[in-house]
Amino acid sequence: MKLITLICCAFLCSITLVVPAQAITSRVGSADDLGVGFAAGQPLGVTGKYWLSSTTAIDAEAGYHFNSNFDMHADYLWHSFSSFDIQNGRLPFYFGVGGRVNLGDDSDFGMRIPLGVSYLPSNQPFEFFAEVAPVVKVLIKLGVGVDGMVGFRVYLNYLK
Protein backbone atom coordinates (compact mmCIF):
# COMPACT_ATOMS: atom_id res chain seq x y z
CA MET A 1 0.00 0.00 0.00
CA LYS A 2 2.81 2.42 0.86
CA LEU A 3 4.47 1.53 -2.44
CA ILE A 4 1.35 2.59 -4.37
CA THR A 5 1.27 5.90 -2.52
CA LEU A 6 4.97 6.52 -3.21
CA ILE A 7 4.52 5.73 -6.90
CA CYS A 8 1.56 8.13 -7.14
CA CYS A 9 3.55 10.87 -5.39
CA ALA A 10 6.59 10.32 -7.63
CA PHE A 11 4.39 10.48 -10.75
CA LEU A 12 2.75 13.71 -9.63
CA CYS A 13 6.10 15.31 -8.76
CA SER A 14 7.54 14.33 -12.14
CA ILE A 15 4.59 15.96 -13.93
CA THR A 16 4.99 19.23 -12.05
CA LEU A 17 8.77 19.29 -12.61
CA VAL A 18 8.70 18.35 -16.29
CA VAL A 19 5.78 20.55 -17.38
CA PRO A 20 6.76 24.22 -17.39
CA ALA A 21 4.62 26.27 -15.04
CA GLN A 22 4.19 29.24 -17.34
CA ALA A 23 0.58 30.29 -17.24
CA ILE A 24 -1.46 32.19 -19.73
CA THR A 25 -4.24 34.43 -18.48
CA SER A 26 -6.13 32.03 -16.29
CA ARG A 27 -9.69 31.91 -15.12
CA VAL A 28 -9.52 28.46 -13.58
CA GLY A 29 -13.04 27.36 -12.82
CA SER A 30 -14.42 27.36 -16.36
CA ALA A 31 -16.08 24.44 -18.14
CA ASP A 32 -13.61 21.76 -19.30
CA ASP A 33 -10.79 22.83 -16.96
CA LEU A 34 -8.82 19.80 -15.73
CA GLY A 35 -6.55 19.96 -12.71
CA VAL A 36 -4.30 17.29 -11.19
CA GLY A 37 -2.45 17.46 -7.93
CA PHE A 38 -1.76 16.16 -4.46
CA ALA A 39 -3.76 16.17 -1.22
CA ALA A 40 -2.46 15.60 2.30
CA GLY A 41 -4.61 14.46 5.18
CA GLN A 42 -7.17 11.71 5.42
CA PRO A 43 -6.59 10.38 2.71
CA LEU A 44 -3.10 11.17 1.40
CA GLY A 45 -2.80 10.84 -2.37
CA VAL A 46 -3.28 12.16 -5.88
CA THR A 47 -6.32 14.22 -6.82
CA GLY A 48 -8.03 15.46 -9.95
CA LYS A 49 -10.82 17.92 -10.66
CA TYR A 50 -12.82 18.44 -13.84
CA TRP A 51 -15.06 21.49 -14.15
CA LEU A 52 -18.42 20.80 -15.84
CA SER A 53 -19.50 24.46 -15.78
CA SER A 54 -18.46 27.66 -14.03
CA THR A 55 -20.10 26.46 -10.78
CA THR A 56 -20.04 22.65 -10.90
CA ALA A 57 -17.22 20.12 -10.98
CA ILE A 58 -16.32 16.50 -10.32
CA ASP A 59 -13.31 15.73 -8.15
CA ALA A 60 -11.66 12.44 -7.29
CA GLU A 61 -8.79 11.18 -5.17
CA ALA A 62 -6.92 7.93 -4.76
CA GLY A 63 -4.43 7.28 -2.02
CA TYR A 64 -3.54 6.00 1.41
CA HIS A 65 -6.04 6.14 4.27
CA PHE A 66 -4.45 6.18 7.74
CA ASN A 67 -6.27 2.99 8.76
CA SER A 68 -4.02 1.06 6.32
CA ASN A 69 -6.55 1.11 3.52
CA PHE A 70 -6.45 2.22 -0.08
CA ASP A 71 -9.00 5.04 -0.42
CA MET A 72 -10.81 6.09 -3.58
CA HIS A 73 -13.51 8.72 -3.66
CA ALA A 74 -15.33 10.93 -6.15
CA ASP A 75 -17.66 13.87 -5.52
CA TYR A 76 -20.01 16.14 -7.45
CA LEU A 77 -19.36 19.72 -6.29
CA TRP A 78 -21.24 23.03 -6.39
CA HIS A 79 -19.21 26.26 -6.03
CA SER A 80 -20.24 29.70 -4.79
CA PHE A 81 -17.94 32.47 -6.00
CA SER A 82 -19.84 35.18 -4.14
CA SER A 83 -19.02 33.89 -0.66
CA PHE A 84 -15.68 35.71 -0.24
CA ASP A 85 -14.36 38.91 -1.83
CA ILE A 86 -10.56 39.08 -2.27
CA GLN A 87 -8.36 41.32 -4.42
CA ASN A 88 -5.98 38.82 -6.05
CA GLY A 89 -7.78 35.74 -7.33
CA ARG A 90 -10.99 34.06 -6.28
CA LEU A 91 -11.96 32.15 -3.14
CA PRO A 92 -15.02 29.97 -3.81
CA PHE A 93 -16.77 27.96 -1.11
CA TYR A 94 -17.97 24.53 -2.27
CA PHE A 95 -20.08 21.63 -1.09
CA GLY A 96 -21.07 18.35 -2.66
CA VAL A 97 -22.01 14.71 -2.44
CA GLY A 98 -20.10 11.62 -3.46
CA GLY A 99 -18.95 8.13 -2.63
CA ARG A 100 -15.90 6.61 -0.98
CA VAL A 101 -14.47 3.09 -1.08
CA ASN A 102 -11.82 1.90 1.36
CA LEU A 103 -10.08 -1.35 0.44
CA GLY A 104 -7.82 -3.20 2.86
CA ASP A 105 -7.88 -4.17 6.54
CA ASP A 106 -10.97 -2.04 7.26
CA SER A 107 -12.86 -2.14 3.95
CA ASP A 108 -16.03 -0.07 3.72
CA PHE A 109 -18.19 1.96 1.36
CA GLY A 110 -19.65 5.30 2.31
CA MET A 111 -21.37 8.48 1.18
CA ARG A 112 -19.27 11.68 1.44
CA ILE A 113 -20.58 15.20 1.98
CA PRO A 114 -17.55 17.44 1.27
CA LEU A 115 -17.42 21.08 2.40
CA GLY A 116 -14.46 23.20 1.44
CA VAL A 117 -12.85 26.33 0.13
CA SER A 118 -10.49 26.83 -2.82
CA TYR A 119 -8.07 29.62 -3.64
CA LEU A 120 -7.71 30.27 -7.37
CA PRO A 121 -4.92 32.86 -7.89
CA SER A 122 -5.26 35.41 -10.69
CA ASN A 123 -3.37 34.55 -13.87
CA GLN A 124 -2.00 31.27 -12.50
CA PRO A 125 -3.05 27.70 -13.36
CA PHE A 126 -3.23 26.61 -9.71
CA GLU A 127 -5.81 25.74 -7.08
CA PHE A 128 -5.16 25.43 -3.36
CA PHE A 129 -7.94 23.85 -1.33
CA ALA A 130 -8.98 22.74 2.14
CA GLU A 131 -11.84 20.33 2.72
CA VAL A 132 -13.66 18.42 5.41
CA ALA A 133 -16.06 15.63 4.47
CA PRO A 134 -18.36 13.76 6.85
CA VAL A 135 -18.72 10.14 5.70
CA VAL A 136 -21.73 7.90 6.32
CA LYS A 137 -20.65 4.27 5.96
CA VAL A 138 -23.49 2.33 4.34
CA LEU A 139 -22.07 -1.06 3.30
CA ILE A 140 -19.91 -3.70 5.02
CA LYS A 141 -19.56 -1.57 8.17
CA LEU A 142 -22.22 0.88 9.30
CA GLY A 143 -21.09 4.07 10.99
CA VAL A 144 -19.81 7.57 10.47
CA GLY A 145 -16.41 9.09 9.92
CA VAL A 146 -14.70 12.25 8.73
CA ASP A 147 -12.18 12.89 5.97
CA GLY A 148 -10.16 16.09 5.92
CA MET A 149 -7.42 17.32 3.63
CA VAL A 150 -5.53 20.24 2.15
CA GLY A 151 -4.22 20.12 -1.37
CA PHE A 152 -2.90 21.64 -4.55
CA ARG A 153 -3.83 21.18 -8.22
CA VAL A 154 -2.23 22.36 -11.47
CA TYR A 155 -4.64 23.03 -14.36
CA LEU A 156 -3.20 21.40 -17.45
CA ASN A 157 -5.10 23.33 -20.11
CA TYR A 158 -3.55 26.63 -18.90
CA LEU A 159 0.08 25.49 -19.18
CA LYS A 160 2.09 26.44 -22.28
Side-chain angles (χ1 to χ4, degrees):
M1 184 55 58
K2 291 179 184 178
L3 179 61
I4 292 172
T5 303
L6 289 174
I7 291 170
C8 291
C9 291
F11 174 73
L12 181 62
C13 289
S14 67
I15 287 175
T16 58
L17 292 175
V18 171
V19 177
Q22 296 176 331
I24 60 175
T25 301
S26 160
R27 286 298 282 178
V28 169
S30 301
D32 297 325
D33 285 353
L34 174 64
V36 296
F38 181 76
Q42 180 98 332
L44 171 71
V46 294
T47 180
K49 186 173 187 178
Y50 181 76
W51 289 80
L52 302 170
S53 72
S54 62
T55 58
T56 60
I58 296 172
D59 78 344
E61 184 173 350
Y64 177 74
H65 207 273
F66 293 130
N67 58 5
S68 299
N69 285 330
F70 179 72
D71 179 296
M72 295 178 292
H73 70 258
D75 306 307
Y76 186 86
L77 304 174
W78 293 271
H79 297 76
S80 170
F81 286 90
S82 62
S83 301
F84 304 101
D85 186 27
I86 61 172
Q87 290 184 349
N88 185 17
R90 297 178 299 156
L91 197 65
F93 167 78
Y94 64 87
F95 66 95
V97 64
R100 179 187 84 178
V101 176
N102 273 337
L103 302 172
D105 298 336
D106 261 343
S107 296
D108 64 53
F109 176 78
M111 183 181 82
R112 286 172 39 91
I113 306 165
L115 305 166
V117 65
S118 290
Y119 173 60
L120 306 168
S122 295
N123 301 321
Q124 296 297 322
F126 307 125
E127 174 185 18
F128 301 91
F129 66 94
E131 174 181 297
V132 64
V135 178
V136 178
K137 299 173 187 176
V138 295
L139 290 177
I140 302 172
K141 284 186 170 178
L142 299 179
V144 294
V146 176
D147 289 346
M149 66 200 82
V150 294
F152 170 85
R153 294 185 188 104
V154 175
Y155 280 82
L156 303 178
N157 50 325
Y158 291 105
L159 297 175
K160 286 184 180 180

